[in-house]
Amino acid sequence: MEHVESETNDYYLAVGGQRVRVRYREGVGIPLVLCNGIGASLEVLDPLVENLDPTRPVLRFDAPGTGESPTSPLPYGFPYLAWVLGRILDRLEIEVVDVLGLSWGGALAQQFAFQNPRRCRRLILVGTGTGAIMVPGNPKVLSKMVTPKRFSNPSYGATIAAQLYGGVVREKSEQIADLFIRQLHAGSFKGYMHQLMAGSVWTSLFALPIIRQKTLIIAGTDDPIVPMINARVMNALMPRATLHAHGGGHLDLLVDAATFGPVVDDFLGPTKPYRRKWSKTADVKFTPGG
């Protein structure tokens, strides 16, 4: 893939009672919003971004209590967080987006698509399920996710990576340590608990037939956290879904990004100019990097 330099800026936006760090790589056409897995900062998504079409605009962010976004004062649910994401897009004057959600972020992506049917063009769900009502993973594996220790201690994360994530990681567990070391801050324990709580009281099972966006579901047959059956259920319930099954695990999207970047690009289609319909907000000032 030919390398094209694209301007990337960090913004710290106060929206909906939160202060959220956002990283936006400018490009051509409809931006792709990336919703990260639980406890992870936006740097963990670097491998995927580096393997996407370099002309594609990409927006990612630290959820409250992860990376450089301060912890939310109160617990929150996915409907609220989807609303916050919408306000972030407003501030950046972005009208229509494609959304990719990985694991926990897949729940947020589903919620955003449900709440914003005209604003979300296409949806990509990776290693995710329907929330509280789904087929759970191995209890011994899930017990290792009760705390964010694997992020704060990358060496520990590498020792449990094969059992936790499966797939390519079984042979390349050291890459997980490298991935988590990218994080500037691992986030707070309280922020991690808020994310766990949000997932524990949410389900999309009954809303899936209403999500009309063209959807790509990427799921691995060797995913100990989210068994493949969940992807098949979602594929059956979503009217415009396509299932991309692979033999890997939970984090192959990142650890084997050279394979999955083109899969994402093919689904989204080529980049092309998009005519903005919203008027610019004259009183909004952005400060890159702070």
Side-chain angles (χ1 to χ4, degrees):
M1 180 182 292
E2 181 182 357
H3 180 70
V4 178
E5 290 291 339
S6 297
E7 184 177 357
T8 300
N9 290 312
D10 277 13
Y11 304 104
Y12 293 81
L13 304 179
V15 290
Q18 308 292 336
R19 186 170 183 266
V20 182
R21 178 175 67 138
V22 178
R23 180 166 295 172
Y24 185 49
R25 185 185 79 179
E26 297 183 6
V28 178
I30 295 176
L32 173 63
V33 175
L34 303 180
C35 301
N36 213 343
I38 189 169
S41 75
L42 58 82
E43 284 83 9
V44 171
L45 297 166
D46 283 351
L48 175 61
V49 176
E50 292 162 2
N51 283 277
L52 292 173
D53 181 341
T55 67
R56 189 179 305 284
V58 179
L59 184 148
R60 42 186 165 147
F61 58 96
D62 288 337
T66 67
E68 293 198 327
S69 291
T71 301
S72 174
L74 298 171
Y76 54 81
F78 284 119
Y80 165 75
L81 197 56
W83 176 83
V84 168
L85 177 56
R87 301 294 76 72
I88 289 172
L89 298 179
D90 290 348
R91 293 287 302 276
L92 295 175
E93 298 184 336
I94 297 171
E95 178 183 5
V96 176
V97 294
D98 298 319
V99 182
L100 182 153
L102 169 62
S103 192
W104 183 91
L108 175 57
Q110 292 173 65
Q111 185 68 43
F112 183 85
F114 175 73
Q115 288 181 204
N116 302 275
R118 296 183 179 180
R119 195 168 199 178
C120 176
R121 183 188 70 130
R122 293 191 179 182
L123 182 63
I124 304 175
L125 305 175
V126 185
T128 194
T130 56
I133 304 177
M134 63 177 281
V135 179
N138 187 316
K140 290 183 179 180
V141 170
L142 297 180
S143 68
K144 299 182 185 300
M145 300 181 65
V146 174
T147 74
K149 183 179 178 181
R150 64 191 185 280
F151 298 115
S152 59
N153 186 340
S155 296
Y156 167 76
T159 64
I160 66 170
Q163 181 184 4
L164 193 60
Y165 303 119
V168 174
V169 176
R170 295 193 188 279
E171 305 297 330
K172 302 178 179 180
S173 59
E174 72 283 353
Q175 290 191 16
I176 291 296
D178 294 340
L179 198 61
F180 292 163
I181 286 171
R182 291 175 182 253
Q183 300 194 115
L184 297 180
H185 300 289
S188 70
F189 179 80
K190 182 180 178 181
Y192 191 84
M193 291 299 104
H194 284 173
Q195 287 188 288
L196 281 177
M197 292 170 63
S200 68
V201 297
W202 174 91
T203 183
S204 63
L205 188 63
F206 307 108
L208 291 181
I210 307 173
I211 297 178
R212 298 289 174 173
Q213 288 89 346
K214 189 175 181 181
T215 302
L216 178 65
I217 301 171
I218 301 176
T221 57
D222 185 24
D223 186 341
I225 296 175
V226 182
M228 170 63 77
I229 183 61
N230 293 286
R232 299 196 185 282
V233 169
M234 297 173 70
N235 186 55
L237 292 175
M238 302 182 78
R240 303 185 67 197
T242 300
L243 175 59
H244 177 90
H246 61 92
H250 195 67
L251 289 186
D252 281 33
L253 180 79
L254 305 179
V255 181
D256 191 19
T259 296
F260 287 94
V263 173
V264 172
D265 279 330
D266 287 347
F267 174 72
L268 296 178
T271 59
K272 56 184 178 180
Y274 176 77
R275 178 172 294 180
R276 188 193 305 273
K277 296 180 181 178
W278 290 2
S279 62
K280 292 187 176 182
T281 305
D283 61 347
V284 173
K285 181 179 179 181
F286 305 119
T287 306

